[in-house]
Amino acid sequence: QVQLVESGGGLVEPGGSLRLSCAGSGFSFSWYAMSWYRQVPGKERELVASISSTGGSTNYADSVKRRFTISRDNAKNMVYLQMNSLDAEETAVYYCYARRGGSNYWGQGTQVTVSS
């Protein structure tokens, strides 16, 4: 059974930091590119960051460059998103996503709330 389980979300003050984690199981994790998306109710899901299967290549949405860092540990089947200098507008559900060709999987999401 394929699973992507996110954790690490919560309440943080503006300017604060959070580290999200995503644990993959039931598929060949190291073969898959991994991404983090986020979604606000009533809006489309937005790509935040991606990392290649080996971790050698990363991409970020312009809005998070130099503040967010995506990383992975294929030995542990984990992908991470370090988020710094968070803004209230980044309150959203954050989703982990795995993709390899036509095969893709979503996690259930973790809520991140940025508020004072």
mmCIF file of all heavy atoms in Angstrom, residues 4-9 18-24 34 36 71 77-83 94-96 108-110 112:
data_model
loop_
_atom_site.group_PDB
_atom_site.id
_atom_site.type_symbol
_atom_site.label_atom_id
_atom_site.label_comp_id
_atom_site.label_asym_id
_atom_site.label_seq_id
_atom_site.Cartn_x
_atom_site.Cartn_y
_atom_site.Cartn_z
ATOM 1 N N LEU A 4 2.093 8.308 1.621
ATOM 2 C CA LEU A 4 2.903 9.497 1.856
ATOM 3 C C LEU A 4 2.291 10.176 3.067
ATOM 4 O O LEU A 4 1.120 10.555 3.041
ATOM 5 C CB LEU A 4 2.889 10.438 0.659
ATOM 6 C CG LEU A 4 3.663 10.006 -0.585
ATOM 7 C CD1 LEU A 4 3.366 10.956 -1.739
ATOM 8 C CD2 LEU A 4 5.154 9.954 -0.305
ATOM 9 N N VAL A 5 3.063 10.294 4.121
ATOM 10 C CA VAL A 5 2.540 10.827 5.377
ATOM 11 C C VAL A 5 3.335 12.064 5.769
ATOM 12 O O VAL A 5 4.525 11.972 6.095
ATOM 13 C CB VAL A 5 2.590 9.778 6.499
ATOM 14 C CG1 VAL A 5 2.040 10.368 7.788
ATOM 15 C CG2 VAL A 5 1.817 8.528 6.104
ATOM 16 N N GLU A 6 2.651 13.203 5.742
ATOM 17 C CA GLU A 6 3.292 14.461 6.118
ATOM 18 C C GLU A 6 3.184 14.689 7.622
ATOM 19 O O GLU A 6 2.237 14.232 8.266
ATOM 20 C CB GLU A 6 2.637 15.645 5.401
ATOM 21 C CG GLU A 6 2.679 15.594 3.895
ATOM 22 C CD GLU A 6 1.420 15.043 3.279
ATOM 23 O OE1 GLU A 6 0.722 14.260 3.961
ATOM 24 O OE2 GLU A 6 1.122 15.388 2.117
ATOM 25 N N SER A 7 4.140 15.419 8.139
ATOM 26 C CA SER A 7 4.118 15.825 9.543
ATOM 27 C C SER A 7 4.902 17.127 9.691
ATOM 28 O O SER A 7 5.608 17.548 8.772
ATOM 29 C CB SER A 7 4.714 14.736 10.442
ATOM 30 O OG SER A 7 6.059 14.487 10.088
ATOM 31 N N GLY A 8 4.762 17.748 10.856
ATOM 32 C CA GLY A 8 5.531 18.947 11.143
ATOM 33 C C GLY A 8 4.770 20.245 10.995
ATOM 34 O O GLY A 8 5.299 21.312 11.303
ATOM 35 N N GLY A 9 3.552 20.170 10.536
ATOM 36 C CA GLY A 9 2.750 21.382 10.430
ATOM 37 C C GLY A 9 2.335 21.880 11.806
ATOM 38 O O GLY A 9 2.537 21.208 12.825
ATOM 39 N N LEU A 18 9.339 26.550 10.249
ATOM 40 C CA LEU A 18 8.819 25.201 10.447
ATOM 41 C C LEU A 18 9.570 24.264 9.511
ATOM 42 O O LEU A 18 10.014 24.684 8.442
ATOM 43 C CB LEU A 18 7.328 25.107 10.124
ATOM 44 C CG LEU A 18 6.300 25.503 11.178
ATOM 45 C CD1 LEU A 18 4.906 25.385 10.591
ATOM 46 C CD2 LEU A 18 6.432 24.676 12.442
ATOM 47 N N ARG A 19 9.656 23.011 9.931
ATOM 48 C CA ARG A 19 10.227 21.980 9.065
ATOM 49 C C ARG A 19 9.181 20.896 8.861
ATOM 50 O O ARG A 19 8.774 20.240 9.827
ATOM 51 C CB ARG A 19 11.483 21.385 9.675
ATOM 52 C CG ARG A 19 12.217 20.427 8.737
ATOM 53 C CD ARG A 19 13.255 19.619 9.465
ATOM 54 N NE ARG A 19 14.178 18.951 8.565
ATOM 55 C CZ ARG A 19 14.817 17.822 8.876
ATOM 56 N NH1 ARG A 19 14.620 17.243 10.045
ATOM 57 N NH2 ARG A 19 15.656 17.282 8.008
ATOM 58 N N LEU A 20 8.771 20.727 7.624
ATOM 59 C CA LEU A 20 7.831 19.668 7.281
ATOM 60 C C LEU A 20 8.597 18.415 6.871
ATOM 61 O O LEU A 20 9.658 18.500 6.260
ATOM 62 C CB LEU A 20 6.919 20.105 6.141
ATOM 63 C CG LEU A 20 6.127 21.395 6.354
ATOM 64 C CD1 LEU A 20 5.218 21.642 5.152
ATOM 65 C CD2 LEU A 20 5.334 21.348 7.632
ATOM 66 N N SER A 21 8.014 17.281 7.200
ATOM 67 C CA SER A 21 8.576 15.990 6.815
ATOM 68 C C SER A 21 7.515 15.179 6.088
ATOM 69 O O SER A 21 6.318 15.327 6.342
ATOM 70 C CB SER A 21 9.048 15.219 8.049
ATOM 71 O OG SER A 21 10.040 15.923 8.756
ATOM 72 N N CYS A 22 7.975 14.318 5.195
ATOM 73 C CA CYS A 22 7.072 13.428 4.476
ATOM 74 C C CYS A 22 7.735 12.057 4.395
ATOM 75 O O CYS A 22 8.847 11.939 3.871
ATOM 76 C CB CYS A 22 6.775 13.958 3.094
ATOM 77 S SG CYS A 22 5.838 12.836 2.029
ATOM 78 N N ALA A 23 7.058 11.053 4.905
ATOM 79 C CA ALA A 23 7.557 9.681 4.879
ATOM 80 C C ALA A 23 6.837 8.888 3.798
ATOM 81 O O ALA A 23 5.606 8.845 3.776
ATOM 82 C CB ALA A 23 7.339 9.030 6.235
ATOM 83 N N GLY A 24 7.616 8.289 2.922
ATOM 84 C CA GLY A 24 7.047 7.493 1.843
ATOM 85 C C GLY A 24 7.213 6.003 2.115
ATOM 86 O O GLY A 24 8.207 5.575 2.688
ATOM 87 N N MET A 34 10.241 14.241 -5.980
ATOM 88 C CA MET A 34 9.325 14.609 -4.892
ATOM 89 C C MET A 34 9.081 16.112 -4.896
ATOM 90 O O MET A 34 9.965 16.902 -5.250
ATOM 91 C CB MET A 34 9.932 14.203 -3.538
ATOM 92 C CG MET A 34 10.181 12.710 -3.384
ATOM 93 S SD MET A 34 8.683 11.731 -3.471
ATOM 94 C CE MET A 34 7.776 12.355 -2.057
ATOM 95 N N TRP A 36 6.675 19.460 -2.910
ATOM 96 C CA TRP A 36 5.745 20.002 -1.919
ATOM 97 C C TRP A 36 4.830 20.997 -2.628
ATOM 98 O O TRP A 36 5.300 21.861 -3.368
ATOM 99 C CB TRP A 36 6.485 20.704 -0.792
ATOM 100 C CG TRP A 36 7.184 19.789 0.153
ATOM 101 C CD1 TRP A 36 8.485 19.402 0.118
ATOM 102 C CD2 TRP A 36 6.599 19.129 1.291
ATOM 103 N NE1 TRP A 36 8.759 18.544 1.153
ATOM 104 C CE2 TRP A 36 7.619 18.374 1.893
ATOM 105 C CE3 TRP A 36 5.326 19.135 1.863
ATOM 106 C CZ2 TRP A 36 7.408 17.603 3.036
ATOM 107 C CZ3 TRP A 36 5.110 18.377 2.998
ATOM 108 C CH2 TRP A 36 6.138 17.613 3.570
ATOM 109 N N SER A 71 14.741 19.013 0.732
ATOM 110 C CA SER A 71 15.822 18.028 0.786
ATOM 111 C C SER A 71 15.203 16.639 0.925
ATOM 112 O O SER A 71 14.006 16.512 1.207
ATOM 113 C CB SER A 71 16.772 18.318 1.946
ATOM 114 O OG SER A 71 16.081 18.261 3.190
ATOM 115 N N ASN A 77 13.679 7.139 3.114
ATOM 116 C CA ASN A 77 12.422 7.385 2.389
ATOM 117 C C ASN A 77 11.713 8.627 2.903
ATOM 118 O O ASN A 77 10.496 8.622 3.144
ATOM 119 C CB ASN A 77 11.487 6.171 2.475
ATOM 120 C CG ASN A 77 11.947 5.002 1.643
ATOM 121 O OD1 ASN A 77 12.997 5.046 1.012
ATOM 122 N ND2 ASN A 77 11.178 3.930 1.640
ATOM 123 N N MET A 78 12.501 9.688 3.061
ATOM 124 C CA MET A 78 11.961 10.925 3.614
ATOM 125 C C MET A 78 12.270 12.108 2.702
ATOM 126 O O MET A 78 13.325 12.171 2.069
ATOM 127 C CB MET A 78 12.578 11.219 4.987
ATOM 128 C CG MET A 78 12.270 10.195 6.071
ATOM 129 S SD MET A 78 10.554 10.232 6.595
ATOM 130 C CE MET A 78 10.461 11.854 7.361
ATOM 131 N N VAL A 79 11.356 13.051 2.686
ATOM 132 C CA VAL A 79 11.588 14.342 2.040
ATOM 133 C C VAL A 79 11.180 15.417 3.045
ATOM 134 O O VAL A 79 10.255 15.224 3.830
ATOM 135 C CB VAL A 79 10.830 14.472 0.704
ATOM 136 C CG1 VAL A 79 9.332 14.404 0.901
ATOM 137 C CG2 VAL A 79 11.238 15.730 -0.042
ATOM 138 N N TYR A 80 11.898 16.533 2.989
ATOM 139 C CA TYR A 80 11.718 17.592 3.978
ATOM 140 C C TYR A 80 11.513 18.935 3.290
ATOM 141 O O TYR A 80 11.949 19.145 2.158
ATOM 142 C CB TYR A 80 12.953 17.686 4.885
ATOM 143 C CG TYR A 80 13.354 16.389 5.518
ATOM 144 C CD1 TYR A 80 14.377 15.617 4.962
ATOM 145 C CD2 TYR A 80 12.713 15.917 6.662
ATOM 146 C CE1 TYR A 80 14.756 14.412 5.535
ATOM 147 C CE2 TYR A 80 13.087 14.713 7.239
ATOM 148 C CZ TYR A 80 14.103 13.972 6.681
ATOM 149 O OH TYR A 80 14.469 12.785 7.258
ATOM 150 N N LEU A 81 10.869 19.834 4.015
ATOM 151 C CA LEU A 81 10.759 21.213 3.557
ATOM 152 C C LEU A 81 11.033 22.118 4.750
ATOM 153 O O LEU A 81 10.227 22.188 5.680
ATOM 154 C CB LEU A 81 9.377 21.513 2.972
ATOM 155 C CG LEU A 81 9.214 22.902 2.376
ATOM 156 C CD1 LEU A 81 10.080 23.039 1.107
ATOM 157 C CD2 LEU A 81 7.764 23.203 2.055
ATOM 158 N N GLN A 82 12.179 22.770 4.728
ATOM 159 C CA GLN A 82 12.517 23.754 5.748
ATOM 160 C C GLN A 82 11.977 25.098 5.299
ATOM 161 O O GLN A 82 12.331 25.577 4.218
ATOM 162 C CB GLN A 82 14.035 23.829 5.941
ATOM 163 C CG GLN A 82 14.481 24.895 6.935
ATOM 164 C CD GLN A 82 14.046 24.586 8.350
ATOM 165 O OE1 GLN A 82 14.153 23.457 8.812
ATOM 166 N NE2 GLN A 82 13.567 25.611 9.053
ATOM 167 N N MET A 83 11.140 25.694 6.125
ATOM 168 C CA MET A 83 10.491 26.952 5.779
ATOM 169 C C MET A 83 10.897 28.018 6.794
ATOM 170 O O MET A 83 10.650 27.861 7.995
ATOM 171 C CB MET A 83 8.966 26.780 5.784
ATOM 172 C CG MET A 83 8.488 25.648 4.894
ATOM 173 S SD MET A 83 6.688 25.574 4.777
ATOM 174 C CE MET A 83 6.251 25.127 6.454
ATOM 175 N N TYR A 94 -0.235 21.898 3.329
ATOM 176 C CA TYR A 94 0.945 21.543 2.548
ATOM 177 C C TYR A 94 0.917 20.039 2.258
ATOM 178 O O TYR A 94 0.733 19.228 3.173
ATOM 179 C CB TYR A 94 2.207 21.929 3.306
ATOM 180 C CG TYR A 94 2.476 23.418 3.258
ATOM 181 C CD1 TYR A 94 1.663 24.316 3.948
ATOM 182 C CD2 TYR A 94 3.521 23.933 2.497
ATOM 183 C CE1 TYR A 94 1.895 25.684 3.887
ATOM 184 C CE2 TYR A 94 3.758 25.296 2.432
ATOM 185 C CZ TYR A 94 2.945 26.166 3.128
ATOM 186 O OH TYR A 94 3.174 27.519 3.060
ATOM 187 N N TYR A 95 1.107 19.715 0.972
ATOM 188 C CA TYR A 95 1.016 18.343 0.511
ATOM 189 C C TYR A 95 2.349 17.858 -0.038
ATOM 190 O O TYR A 95 3.056 18.585 -0.745
ATOM 191 C CB TYR A 95 -0.021 18.218 -0.594
ATOM 192 C CG TYR A 95 -1.432 18.522 -0.182
ATOM 193 C CD1 TYR A 95 -1.941 19.811 -0.284
ATOM 194 C CD2 TYR A 95 -2.271 17.515 0.290
ATOM 195 C CE1 TYR A 95 -3.242 20.101 0.089
ATOM 196 C CE2 TYR A 95 -3.578 17.792 0.658
ATOM 197 C CZ TYR A 95 -4.054 19.082 0.559
ATOM 198 O OH TYR A 95 -5.343 19.353 0.922
ATOM 199 N N CYS A 96 2.625 16.620 0.218
ATOM 200 C CA CYS A 96 3.765 15.921 -0.345
ATOM 201 C C CYS A 96 3.294 15.177 -1.604
ATOM 202 O O CYS A 96 2.176 14.639 -1.635
ATOM 203 C CB CYS A 96 4.277 14.930 0.713
ATOM 204 S SG CYS A 96 5.718 13.980 0.256
ATOM 205 N N GLN A 108 -1.773 13.203 2.492
ATOM 206 C CA GLN A 108 -3.057 13.720 2.961
ATOM 207 C C GLN A 108 -2.981 15.187 3.362
ATOM 208 O O GLN A 108 -4.015 15.831 3.554
ATOM 209 C CB GLN A 108 -3.548 12.889 4.157
ATOM 210 C CG GLN A 108 -2.983 13.283 5.515
ATOM 211 C CD GLN A 108 -1.516 12.927 5.688
ATOM 212 O OE1 GLN A 108 -0.934 12.188 4.884
ATOM 213 N NE2 GLN A 108 -0.904 13.436 6.737
ATOM 214 N N GLY A 109 -1.777 15.709 3.470
ATOM 215 C CA GLY A 109 -1.591 17.117 3.781
ATOM 216 C C GLY A 109 -1.380 17.388 5.257
ATOM 217 O O GLY A 109 -1.817 16.622 6.122
ATOM 218 N N THR A 110 -0.703 18.483 5.531
ATOM 219 C CA THR A 110 -0.503 18.952 6.904
ATOM 220 C C THR A 110 -0.763 20.453 6.938
ATOM 221 O O THR A 110 -0.315 21.189 6.059
ATOM 222 C CB THR A 110 0.907 18.603 7.426
ATOM 223 O OG1 THR A 110 1.019 18.953 8.803
ATOM 224 C CG2 THR A 110 2.005 19.299 6.636
ATOM 225 N N VAL A 112 -0.462 24.210 7.914
ATOM 226 C CA VAL A 112 0.474 25.219 8.410
ATOM 227 C C VAL A 112 -0.289 26.522 8.580
ATOM 228 O O VAL A 112 -0.899 27.013 7.630
ATOM 229 C CB VAL A 112 1.656 25.410 7.440
ATOM 230 C CG1 VAL A 112 2.511 26.604 7.870
ATOM 231 C CG2 VAL A 112 2.496 24.147 7.370
#
